[in-house]
Amino acid sequence: MTRNISTRRAALRTLAGAGAATLAAPHLATAQGQTTTWKIQTSWPGGAGLQIFKDWCATIEEKTGGELAFQPFGANDVVGDFQLYDAVKNGVLDAVNPFTIYAQGIIPAATFLTSIPLGLRNPHEFDVFYYGLGGIDIARELYAAQGMHFVGPVHHGPNIIHSKVPIRSIDDFAGRKMRLPGGMVAEIFTQIGAETTVLPGSEIFPALEKGTIDVADYVGPAVNYALGFSQVTDYIVMGPPGFMSLYQPVDIMDITVGQAAWDALSPQMKQFVEMETHVYSDMHHAAIQKADQDAWAKFEADGTEVTRLTQDDVELMTEVAVPVWFDYANRDPQAARVFKIQLDYMLSGSLGYVDPALTQGLELKL
């Protein structure tokens, strides 16, 4: 009897091990043993972001039993950031991992597929928008019209502001020469008195060093420290505790695939890529935040002071932002459609970010 029990336990361990292996790395049989290799380019030029992307790409072939592999490229390795979508549509690249805002030139509604000033403020709120409130279906519809498949969002983190002077309220932006990415963000800061200018990331450090600008937004602490911003600024401007960035609280990237490459996949492989995009989003977001934690200590050691805006500033900037939201949404019917979902969510009891009184007299052209 002892031997029978031992034999049964060994068999159960074998089955359990096989089951776990299947769940962790399902074998999706290749056609005639051939591997399909996708050329996929990210918008990360280097640093932690690029390494996280490459590490994830390196796991795909083993997870699919050799059916699919990702060949990763960094920013500008194959094409420039603003040529990514043409490259996907023309088959030069099979897939891309861009900042979603880059799509706004061909898909105006993409303005609202990523974060807007004072809008949805946490990654999980965008997960609700995409996967609970229908955002993913609209995104896929809009991208399909451009010959692409939007697989899903990838979380990054908030953008922050560096300044040569202390900024402790939104009044302190008045008269300051400020680098911003343009568009809705620049319009809102212009309305509170900043003198805004658009500069590429590579020109921010010399502009701060020369005094051409006083204030600059860019991505997160880890990247910005590597760019030397602590050498040319003394302050980092944040929102209230728990609200790092008023103007871009969540920075969304995504995985987008050329329609031909997507259609060539089996239904099982399509499901696998969708689930792996969730995995990548989680890994990417957490690893970026880890790198940021390391960077905060470096900024502190360099003498950088963190200043925080107040909840009153949040409410005042929201009053400025709401009419701008409506203006941008009404420039395109699909943008209005996407924004309406987010606005209803922000007005709801779940969030309460927007006082309904602020929307009185404003209409969406749906």
Side-chain angles (χ1 to χ4, degrees), residues 227-303:
L227 290 173
F229 286 7
S230 69
Q231 301 170 32
V232 290
T233 60
D234 295 318
Y235 303 91
I236 292 175
V237 187
M238 310 277 279
F243 195 177
M244 281 180 66
S245 173
L246 302 190
Y247 69 100
Q248 194 165 14
V250 180
D251 202 0
I252 300 287
M253 301 178 80
D254 63 71
I255 298 295
T256 293
V257 183
Q259 195 65 55
W262 183 255
D263 290 344
L265 297 182
S266 68
Q268 294 88 348
M269 188 58 70
K270 288 177 180 176
Q271 184 178 40
F272 170 80
V273 174
E274 289 175 354
M275 296 309 297
E276 271 301 304
T277 298
H278 286 281
V279 170
Y280 175 46
S281 181
D282 289 345
M283 290 172 49
H284 184 263
H285 183 257
I288 291 290
Q289 308 316 305
K290 167 61 169 63
D292 285 348
Q293 294 308 302
D294 296 338
W296 284 123
K298 298 175 183 177
F299 275 115
E300 183 178 0
D302 287 355

Side-chain angles (χ1 to χ4, degrees), residues 138-198:
I138 299 175
R140 288 175 178 171
E141 174 189 327
L142 298 176
Y143 277 67
Q146 296 290 330
M148 301 181 292
H149 181 77
F150 182 92
V151 181
V154 174
H155 291 303
H156 167 214
N159 287 5
I160 60 176
I161 293 173
H162 297 261
S163 177
K164 299 173 77 72
V165 297
I167 292 179
R168 306 186 191 281
S169 78
I170 61 171
D171 293 336
D172 294 335
F173 286 107
R176 294 299 173 191
K177 295 170 290 184
M178 185 174 185
R179 181 272 178 191
L180 286 164
M184 190 185 302
V185 176
E187 189 165 331
I188 288 171
F189 274 93
T190 297
Q191 289 195 28
I192 63 173
E195 299 176 10
T196 64
T197 186
V198 177

Side-chain angles (χ1 to χ4, degrees), residues 4 11 31 37 58-59 64-65 76 80 107 114 190 228 276 294 299 341 353:
N4 288 341
T37 300
T59 69
T64 63
N76 301 310
I107 304 173
T114 185
T190 297
E276 271 301 304
D294 296 338
F299 275 115
I341 297 172
Y353 289 157

Side-chain angles (χ1 to χ4, degrees), residues 307-364:
T307 64
R308 290 193 177 275
L309 303 177
T310 68
Q311 187 59 38
D312 286 343
D313 292 317
V314 172
E315 294 173 8
L316 288 169
M317 283 194 73
T318 302
E319 291 181 22
V320 173
V322 171
V324 179
W325 295 345
F326 276 78
D327 175 37
Y328 274 75
N330 284 331
R331 297 179 186 185
D332 177 80
Q334 297 300 331
R337 180 184 173 199
V338 174
F339 172 62
K340 178 65 163 57
I341 297 172
Q342 296 180 3
L343 179 63
D344 288 346
Y345 186 25
M346 290 189 285
L347 285 165
S348 76
S350 296
L351 299 181
Y353 289 157
V354 181
D355 184 335
L358 296 179
T359 67
Q360 290 183 2
L362 300 172
E363 295 183 4
L364 283 176

Side-chain angles (χ1 to χ4, degrees), residues 5-16:
I5 291 172
S6 299
T7 301
R8 288 173 62 194
R9 285 177 175 169
L12 287 170
R13 283 196 296 270
T14 301
L15 286 171

